Amino acid sequence: EKYDDKFQKVLNAEYGPVYHIPEGGTNHLAVKGTEEILTVKDKDYYDYICVAAGTGGTAAGIINSTAPHQKVLVFSALKGDFMFDEIARYTHRENFMVFDENRFGGYARSSDGLIKFMNGRFRESVTSENPKGIPLEPIYTGKMMYRLEHLVKTGVISGETRILAIHTGGLQSVTGYNAMLEKKGKITLDYINEI
């Protein structure tokens, strides 16, 4: 059941003043905080800023703080065409584009293809300069990077473009996600012991 004013009054009566953080964490204060993610150098250097989205708060803050020449590509982890409107509630800027999750079946869903992509990209990211690599998770950042790579390979984004892809975390989900995949007899993320 969704949070409502009646429930707020019950909590206030029992515990005193309670501050409600909405599902997904998006509200005006969260957006204000995420406006601080980009550095001055990020705003000067990159053409595209890419970010995964669940409720859109992080994306909205980033959009609000971009330089005039920048475009933000938002990769929704959810099915449906509502994300643009959700983000628009927190920004008046129009320098963003939303890609809906329409390849893997929706939130927290994946395919063997996505998992193979993630395993391969992790292995490629392990170098002598970066021995820990760059792990992704399959709910948000893995899907974002999969789609972003496709946009570059197909020429939608020029190879000369400077792109900043923001990793929003979520790696704590990998163990549980792998357990779910194993139960289904699917391939798993093979770098769990390395993160």
Side-chain angles (χ1 to χ4, degrees), residues 23 91 109 115 135 147 151 158-160 162-163 189 194:
E23 180 180 1
T91 185
R109 301 223 175 147
I115 301 303
R147 188 78 179 264
L151 292 172
S158 162
E160 301 296 317
R162 293 172 300 198
I163 301 169
L189 293 164
E194 299 170 56

Side-chain angles (χ1 to χ4, degrees), residues 30 42 68 77 83 86 150 172:
D42 296 335
M83 185 61 69
E86 286 298 308
H150 177 76
Q172 70 276 12

Side-chain angles (χ1 to χ4, degrees), residues 89-101:
R89 291 175 52 201
Y90 297 98
T91 185
H92 297 293
R93 300 188 70 192
E94 296 179 3
N95 64 327
F96 69 100
M97 182 178 213
V98 175
F99 296 89
D100 294 327
E101 192 340 276

Side-chain angles (χ1 to χ4, degrees), residues 35-46 65 70 164:
E35 289 174 2
E36 298 180 19
I37 290 173
L38 298 180
T39 66
V40 171
K41 183 178 175 182
D42 296 335
K43 294 174 190 181
D44 287 341
Y45 185 75
Y46 295 104
S65 67
Q70 292 179 311
L164 173 62

Side-chain angles (χ1 to χ4, degrees), residues 138-177:
I139 300 170
Y140 296 98
T141 59
K143 290 176 180 178
M144 174 184 73
M145 295 306 292
Y146 183 95
R147 188 78 179 264
L148 177 57
E149 184 174 303
H150 177 76
L151 292 172
V152 172
K153 281 182 175 179
T154 59
V156 174
I157 297 176
S158 162
E160 301 296 317
T161 305
R162 293 172 300 198
I163 301 169
L164 173 62
I166 298 178
H167 194 309
T168 52
L171 295 174
Q172 70 276 12
S173 70
V174 172
T175 301
Y177 204 88

Side-chain angles (χ1 to χ4, degrees), residues 45-130:
Y45 185 75
Y46 295 104
D47 302 308
Y48 285 95
I49 311 296
C50 300
V51 65
T55 55
T58 301
I62 289 168
I63 292 161
N64 287 342
S65 67
T66 54
H69 74 277
Q70 292 179 311
K71 184 153 187 134
V72 179
L73 304 181
V74 181
F75 299 86
S76 178
L78 308 168
K79 284 175 79 172
D81 59 0
F82 58 88
M83 185 61 69
F84 187 94
D85 292 338
E86 286 298 308
I87 293 169
R89 291 175 52 201
Y90 297 98
T91 185
H92 297 293
R93 300 188 70 192
E94 296 179 3
N95 64 327
F96 69 100
M97 182 178 213
V98 175
F99 296 89
D100 294 327
E101 192 340 276
N102 61 2
R103 292 178 184 238
F104 303 106
Y107 184 77
R109 301 223 175 147
S110 66
S111 70
D112 285 346
L114 176 64
I115 301 303
K116 286 178 184 176
F117 168 84
M118 293 171 60
N119 284 333
R121 294 310 171 268
F122 176 76
R123 294 285 163 239
E124 290 172 0
S125 72
V126 176
T127 64
S128 57
E129 297 86 32
N130 185 22

